[in-house]
Amino acid sequence: MTTNDTPDSSRIEALVIEVKSFKTQFDVFRFMKRATEQYGSRAFMVLNMPGATSLDLSSSSIITNWPADLLTEFDQGALLSGSPVLAVLRRASIPFAYDIDEVAAQRDPRSAELSKTLFHRFRMNRGAYFPVHDATGARGAVSFSGERKPFTVREMMELSYLSAHVFNRLAEIRDMDSRNSDMLTERELDCLNWTAAGKTSVEIAEILTLSEHTINHYLNRATKKLDAVNRTQAVAKALRLGLIK
């Protein structure tokens, strides 16, 4: 390390190796939560690039620990429309820092006051965005927000490198989930659907006129195919993938 702005390559590479080992979105979520704290921020978001007609941010978010009330109020206030940050993301390929007061100054008076009040209230008035893309070329971004002083050049370099790997790994995990879900049988999906509805194995057995042992077999097999640790996680993953409703 020759200067304070030179990244600690061995530490960052260790983090990248960790990211590549993740099997689930929750693994990535926990990592991002830890990284956010380590860099002195309060919240993160990994998102797909919102479409030109998108009206809400929540539908583009992949994983985030933004306060639920913040995200709800952001969307209710229609703050995605005309967002200066989104405008920069759509035309930029390099990371950039932001200050909510400076961003708000570029908006109409109503949106400016609303966004400033909202982000200051949740102490997320400064941060940075890191444009990313996956192997298919799909674009997205990773953000870190809080109220600390601006990231140093070194921190921006580190977070940019980590963000690229995190976004790519999430795409790989979704691809793996999709391939696993293709192997689920109709009976396995039936059992997951009824489990999601709050039915026990005994009750599902009665509904499908099968034995409880057979139902447990289907559920255990579906859990394994979805790379879940238990039935609850299997149901959550199946819901997220749109396999059951």
Side-chain angles (χ1 to χ4, degrees):
M1 186 165 68
T2 58
T3 73
N4 289 335
D5 285 336
T6 302
D8 181 347
S9 59
S10 60
R11 180 175 66 85
I12 297 301
E13 283 303 327
L15 291 175
V16 168
I17 291 172
E18 183 181 356
V19 170
K20 290 180 178 178
S21 72
F22 295 149
K23 302 297 184 184
T24 68
Q25 284 197 359
F26 187 60
D27 292 334
V28 184
F29 177 89
R30 288 186 298 185
F31 172 85
M32 288 296 292
K33 189 172 183 296
R34 189 174 81 241
T36 299
E37 294 168 354
Q38 289 175 348
Y39 280 88
S41 294
R42 296 183 61 82
F44 73 88
M45 178 178 285
V46 181
L47 66 150
N48 292 316
M49 190 67 68
T53 59
S54 295
L55 299 178
D56 62 273
L57 182 59
S58 56
S59 62
S60 296
S61 173
I62 302 172
I63 55 171
T64 185
N65 68 337
W66 274 31
D69 288 346
L70 169 58
L71 191 53
T72 297
E73 291 183 43
F74 183 94
D75 285 343
Q76 287 177 343
L79 292 176
L80 184 65
S81 177
S83 166
V85 168
L86 182 57
V88 174
L89 281 174
R90 283 179 173 152
R91 66 173 183 264
S93 59
I94 58 175
F96 61 92
Y98 75 91
D99 183 296
I100 193 61
D101 293 337
E102 296 173 358
V103 170
Q106 303 173 50
R107 307 196 67 138
D108 65 84
R110 184 202 71 85
S111 295
E113 186 59 31
L114 181 57
S115 59
K116 282 201 298 185
T117 301
L118 187 59
F119 284 94
H120 276 288
R121 173 152 59 93
F122 286 95
R123 298 163 60 193
M124 288 169 53
N125 45 295
R126 282 191 295 272
Y129 276 83
F130 302 86
V132 289
H133 61 83
D134 62 24
T136 69
R139 298 181 63 204
V142 178
S143 72
F144 294 89
S145 307
E147 54 183 357
R148 55 153 286 172
K149 63 182 182 181
F151 293 119
T152 65
V153 172
R154 168 182 172 172
E155 289 173 323
M156 291 290 285
M157 292 171 67
E158 292 176 352
L159 288 171
S160 182
Y161 190 58
L162 284 177
S163 295
H165 283 278
V166 163
F167 191 75
N168 188 69
R169 188 56 186 162
L170 283 169
E172 292 173 341
I173 289 171
R174 289 197 299 274
D175 182 59
M176 287 190 295
D177 287 346
S178 178
R179 281 186 276 115
N180 286 338
S181 67
D182 288 343
M183 297 184 292
L184 289 172
T185 67
E186 184 177 352
R187 278 302 191 198
E188 289 164 355
L189 290 172
D190 285 341
C191 292
L192 286 172
N193 258 312
W194 285 114
T195 301
K199 302 297 184 181
T200 65
S201 293
V202 173
E203 291 171 326
I204 298 172
E206 293 178 355
I207 293 168
L208 300 180
T209 62
L210 298 169
S211 70
E212 180 184 359
H213 173 78
T214 300
I215 298 302
N216 287 330
H217 173 70
Y218 283 139
L219 285 170
N220 290 337
R221 199 163 62 181
T223 299
K224 184 176 181 180
K225 287 181 180 180
L226 289 169
D227 193 27
V229 297
N230 52 41
R231 295 180 184 182
T232 301
Q233 190 182 85
V235 168
K237 184 173 285 190
L239 285 166
R240 175 168 54 79
L241 292 169
L243 300 174
I244 60 176
K245 298 180 180 181

